Amino acid sequence: MPRAGLCSRWGGRVLPLLLAYICYLLLGATIFQLLEKQAESQSRDRFQFEKLRFLENYTCLDQQAVEQFVQVIMEAWVKGVNPKGNSTNPSNWDFGSSFFFAGTVVTTIGYGNLAPSTEAGQVFCVFYALVGIPLNVGFLNHLGTGLRAHLTMLERWEDQPRRSQLLQILGLALFLALGTLLILILPPMVFSHVEGWSFSEGFYFAFITLSTIGFGDYVVGTDPSKHYLSVYRSLAAIWILLGLAWLALVLPLGPLLLHRCSQLWLLGLRLDREAEEALGGTPREGSTAARTRATQDLLAWRRSLRNW
């Protein structure tokens, strides 16, 4: 019976979550299909039209020769070679680009526009990721743990004056705002200026990168028509590491800030209610028992917050 009860409770929690998860995937699939399918169809038709026009203009070529050339272009793109420009394009495997690639491996971003093509490089990438990914996760978790260790003062904030509580909340909000500015606002502006993107495209790239989704549709330092600084991609890799570290610091702060704001708001309501009762002179009937219950609820709430 206990096992049956445990299975029932587990099923009661997991099944609704699984249902919501599947529904969320179905919703996303439907919306993405509505938004993107028509554009894909237009791009496909344009490509076929341009290929047929190319064959009409160059009658010495046949369909098979064009298909072979397209295949060569696709293989070059998969191996990180941009078919635009000429052979003087910057190398994808200089130190800066290699450092950038190493950062995308350990952070599991994996844009997909660049990958090792030699057998030795592929084997090394496997073992490098096996060690680097846990190292990266441990580093980010250590940062979050370190921040929580320095927030012990905030865990006893209800014993401090109300003005101090407000200052602490404002300090947390200021930290979040500055971090957002330095990690998610200014870098997209720089990327947009250097790469020739719009700000929305730069912000999209920043979010897709720091969320480790890494589609690979936008990648910095890959346009052969531009002359980048030699350290440009290395600086981008450092930004990625700093951005992920900032997210590791912010994730514990978000729930904490919400709890503190809600607690401060409820505390203000309680103080206002007690002030109204005091101004009213004689306590209303049942106010003593209500105050006792409210005090007990407040103490239980404080204990739960400390445990959290």
Side-chain angles (χ1 to χ4, degrees):
M1 291 298 294
R3 179 176 296 180
L6 179 62
C7 292
S8 177
R9 288 195 299 271
W10 181 82
R13 294 177 181 177
V14 173
L15 290 180
L17 182 62
L18 177 61
L19 181 62
Y21 183 67
I22 294 175
C23 291
Y24 192 74
L25 292 177
L26 293 174
L27 175 64
T30 302
I31 294 177
F32 282 129
Q33 182 182 26
L34 293 174
L35 294 176
E36 299 295 333
K37 189 173 182 179
Q38 183 177 1
E40 180 203 26
S41 178
Q42 293 175 353
S43 179
R44 191 192 308 274
D45 294 341
R46 180 183 176 186
F47 172 73
Q48 295 296 334
F49 174 77
E50 292 294 336
K51 188 165 63 173
L52 291 175
R53 191 174 68 172
F54 181 81
L55 289 173
E56 291 176 357
N57 293 334
Y58 300 92
T59 56
C60 58
L61 296 175
D62 57 8
Q63 180 75 19
Q64 184 178 1
V66 173
E67 294 295 340
Q68 289 177 352
F69 182 66
V70 171
Q71 181 66 28
V72 171
I73 293 178
M74 293 179 60
E75 291 177 356
W77 178 261
V78 169
K79 293 183 179 180
V81 178
N82 196 321
K84 295 173 59 178
N86 50 45
S87 60
T88 62
N89 292 342
S91 172
N92 287 314
W93 294 106
D94 56 16
F95 181 78
S97 299
S98 299
F99 182 80
F100 181 80
F101 174 76
T104 62
V105 170
V106 299
T107 55
T108 69
I109 295 175
Y111 288 115
N113 69 313
L114 183 64
S117 58
T118 63
E119 184 177 350
Q122 292 171 352
V123 172
F124 174 75
C125 185
V126 170
F127 289 99
Y128 184 77
L130 286 175
V131 177
I133 293 175
L135 180 63
N136 179 69
V137 172
F139 170 70
L140 297 179
N141 288 338
H142 182 72
L143 284 178
T145 303
L147 177 65
R148 286 191 291 270
H150 286 82
L151 293 177
T152 54
M153 180 180 66
L154 293 180
E155 294 179 357
R156 296 189 298 271
W157 83 306
E158 64 271 10
D159 299 328
Q160 301 176 10
R162 192 174 184 181
R163 182 178 179 181
S164 178
Q165 298 173 12
L166 285 172
L167 290 177
Q168 291 178 15
I169 288 181
L170 290 177
L172 287 176
L174 180 62
F175 173 79
L176 294 175
L178 288 177
T180 303
L181 178 66
L182 296 176
I183 298 299
L184 288 178
I185 303 299
L186 291 181
M189 294 176 64
V190 175
F191 295 142
S192 301
H193 175 72
V194 175
E195 302 290 341
W197 301 337
S198 65
F199 177 77
S200 61
E201 291 173 325
F203 184 80
Y204 167 80
F205 163 76
F207 176 80
I208 294 299
T209 295
L210 296 183
S211 60
T212 69
I213 297 174
F215 290 125
D217 49 350
Y218 289 88
V219 184
V220 295
T222 58
D223 191 345
S225 64
K226 298 183 179 297
H227 299 283
Y228 301 101
L229 296 175
S230 58
V231 295
Y232 176 62
R233 301 195 83 184
S234 297
L235 292 176
I238 294 175
W239 164 75
I240 291 175
L241 295 177
L242 292 177
L244 292 176
W246 177 76
L247 289 178
L249 297 178
V250 166
L251 290 178
L253 280 181
L256 179 64
L257 183 61
L258 291 177
H259 275 285
R260 296 299 181 256
C261 290
S262 62
Q263 188 179 13
L264 188 62
W265 179 68
L266 292 175
L267 180 61
L269 292 179
R270 183 173 64 85
L271 293 176
D272 292 340
R273 186 170 61 251
E274 291 179 354
E276 291 177 358
E277 293 180 358
L279 292 175
T282 305
R284 294 191 299 270
E285 182 179 358
S287 62
T288 302
R291 188 180 295 109
T292 301
R293 289 194 299 270
T295 303
Q296 293 174 351
D297 294 339
L298 182 61
L299 292 175
W301 188 20
R302 289 178 177 177
R303 287 193 297 268
S304 65
L305 285 175
R306 288 195 181 98
N307 294 332
W308 177 81

